[in-house]
Amino acid sequence: MNKQEFFRQILRGKANSPRDNATAFAPSNIALAKYWGKRDTELNLPCNSSISISLGSLGTKTTLRASNQDRVVLNGEEIPLDKPFAAKIINFLDYFRANLWQGAMEVITENNIPTAAGLASSASGFAALTLAANDFWNLDLDTKTLSAIARIGSGSAARSFWQGFVKWQRGKNPDGLDSYAEPLALAENSPSRNLRLALVKIDEKAKKNPSRDAMIHSAKTSPYFSAWIATAEIELHKIEAAITSGNIQELLQLAESNALAMHAVMLASRPSLLYLQAESIVAIKKVWDLREHGAEIFFTIDAGPNLKLLFEENADTRAIIENNFPSAIFVNPFA
Ligand code: PMV
């Protein structure tokens, strides 16, 4: 199945009465059990399931408005339509327009993720765009379907529809309709709610190897890719069990190992994919050194050089992070 057919199947028979405008917000998310590898590149279907934590109020707000010409505005600045950022958004909206009202649109999008956090915003961006599209065209789709749609824009966007811990099921069907995310239920007093993040920016330049292409390259050339896939579901179950049972120390350890295993797969690709910079390694060693001295601080890293420190809320741990990573941005996902 291709993208056009995927959208046609979902949008078939939908009423065709757009509003003047629609606005939606979606939080950013960080994977604790990473998604790395696609079983279908056209529909962005993953080889493995993944689990993330959403970042509360940090994310993307997007407004769609009927207009007399297509425009994309990011944080107050108009982006030319031939730039990849705008082209991807318009291309995504075209799949809706191919099946619904086809007029020109303005896309006004704002990220409140501080640039100092060194976080990509494609996950929250495509989730907010999908939510706004659902409202704009009065589609009344359920969140599972919206998650599967956003996945077409960016895999990790499938997980950006809820706060808290979210699991994206890889699914099995060729049409990808069973590959969507859902929130993980937590008891009100679960210790897992004490998870905090501290974002340590190493470099915010756009990455040379976008994850979409890098995943394909890894799957084709890394001798460790098959081992990654063979262990990914087992790791995911351990991570899910640590979250639901409230074993936060176990969760932090597993999340760090999972990220490093993903980087090992990347490194073993031919030619190698190295996202870490010298400063990333310095920061990793600093975390390990602090741990040797008793601080319970862990990290995860995506396809980039920046660290996301993970810790259990505690004034001492927070002070240690503030002293050692003075520019870190603290995030309480449960605030
Ligand atoms: O959704 P994408 O194509 O940006 O890929 C995300 C890949 C990682 O961030 C490395 C892992 C993940 O699960 O978010």
Side-chain angles (χ1 to χ4, degrees):
M1 175 174 279
N2 64 25
K3 291 192 191 80
Q4 285 85 352
E5 287 158 352
F6 173 84
F7 275 89
R8 200 177 308 134
Q9 180 172 324
I10 291 174
L11 300 174
R12 188 178 297 133
K14 284 287 168 191
N16 210 350
S17 50
R19 300 179 183 200
D20 292 340
N21 61 72
T23 299
F25 170 83
S28 189
N29 77 74
I30 303 292
L32 301 170
K34 305 288 185 197
Y35 143 56
W36 194 254
K38 298 177 197 286
R39 68 189 156 86
D40 181 325
T41 50
E42 170 75 12
L43 295 179
N44 236 358
L45 295 172
C47 293
N48 65 293
S49 306
S50 56
I51 291 182
S52 61
I53 179 78
S54 287
L55 296 191
S57 59
L58 292 186
T60 306
K61 186 173 113 182
T62 294
T63 297
L64 290 179
R65 190 175 293 147
S67 175
N68 45 17
Q69 67 178 82
D70 281 351
R71 280 180 77 218
V72 174
V73 178
L74 169 64
N75 290 343
E77 192 191 321
E78 178 144 8
I79 311 288
L81 296 184
D82 57 353
K83 293 267 181 237
F85 179 86
K88 274 193 231 160
I89 290 178
I90 296 299
N91 194 17
F92 189 72
L93 290 176
D94 281 344
Y95 291 115
F96 289 90
R97 288 194 282 204
N99 295 282
L100 303 161
W101 170 88
Q102 303 190 341
M105 305 171 85
E106 251 175 31
V107 184
I108 318 281
T109 184
E110 279 163 38
N111 290 324
N112 66 1
I113 306 165
T115 48
L119 274 191
S121 52
S122 65
S124 53
F126 275 105
L129 185 62
T130 303
L131 282 167
N134 183 48
D135 263 16
F136 182 81
W137 275 288
N138 275 310
L139 300 176
D140 205 20
L141 296 169
D142 60 31
T143 321
K144 284 179 191 171
T145 308
L146 295 176
S147 166
I149 292 178
R151 187 201 72 220
I152 301 280
S154 167
S156 49
R159 301 185 306 240
S160 266
F161 288 83
W162 303 268
Q163 294 292 353
F165 297 100
V166 176
K167 178 174 169 182
W168 171 19
Q169 290 284 7
R170 72 185 286 283
K172 289 196 167 66
N173 296 346
D175 67 7
L177 282 172
D178 60 347
S179 183
Y180 54 78
E182 283 181 295
L184 288 182
L186 273 193
E188 239 352 276
N189 57 356
S190 168
S192 298
R193 293 183 190 272
N194 295 332
L195 173 65
R196 302 290 179 267
L197 292 94
L199 310 174
V200 175
K201 188 190 86 175
I202 305 290
D203 189 346
E204 63 181 302
K205 279 200 288 292
K207 47 194 172 197
K208 229 173 54 207
N209 294 302
S211 43
R212 186 176 282 258
D213 306 334
M215 279 184 210
I216 297 169
H217 176 66
S218 273
K220 272 199 198 134
T221 70
S222 176
Y224 299 155
F225 187 75
S226 53
W228 164 258
I229 294 308
T231 51
E233 295 293 321
I234 302 166
E235 290 254 322
L236 177 111
H237 288 305
K238 286 191 193 159
I239 289 178
E240 182 172 353
I243 292 169
T244 48
S245 68
N247 190 344
I248 186 163
Q249 289 308 315
E250 168 95 346
L251 167 63
L252 302 184
Q253 275 170 23
L254 288 167
E256 183 176 302
S257 311
N258 182 273
L260 290 172
M262 177 184 74
H263 281 268
V265 175
M266 295 164 166
L267 269 173
S269 306
R270 296 166 190 182
S272 184
L273 292 161
L274 174 59
Y275 286 101
L276 305 177
Q277 293 183 5
E279 294 84 353
S280 317
I281 303 288
V282 170
I284 289 174
K285 293 224 166 170
K286 203 192 262 188
V287 171
W288 286 345
D289 189 46
L290 293 170
R291 229 159 55 216
E292 264 176 33
H293 290 87
E296 295 286 333
I297 304 169
F298 295 79
F299 62 84
T300 185
I301 310 181
D302 288 311
N306 306 306
L307 270 68
K308 290 95 182 183
L309 304 185
L310 305 167
F311 65 104
E312 181 171 5
E313 178 65 270
N314 167 305
D316 292 344
T317 314
R318 192 175 272 264
I320 294 170
I321 295 176
E322 274 164 0
N323 287 337
N324 286 278
F325 300 95
S327 54
I329 293 174
F330 287 85
V331 180
N332 176 356
F334 299 96

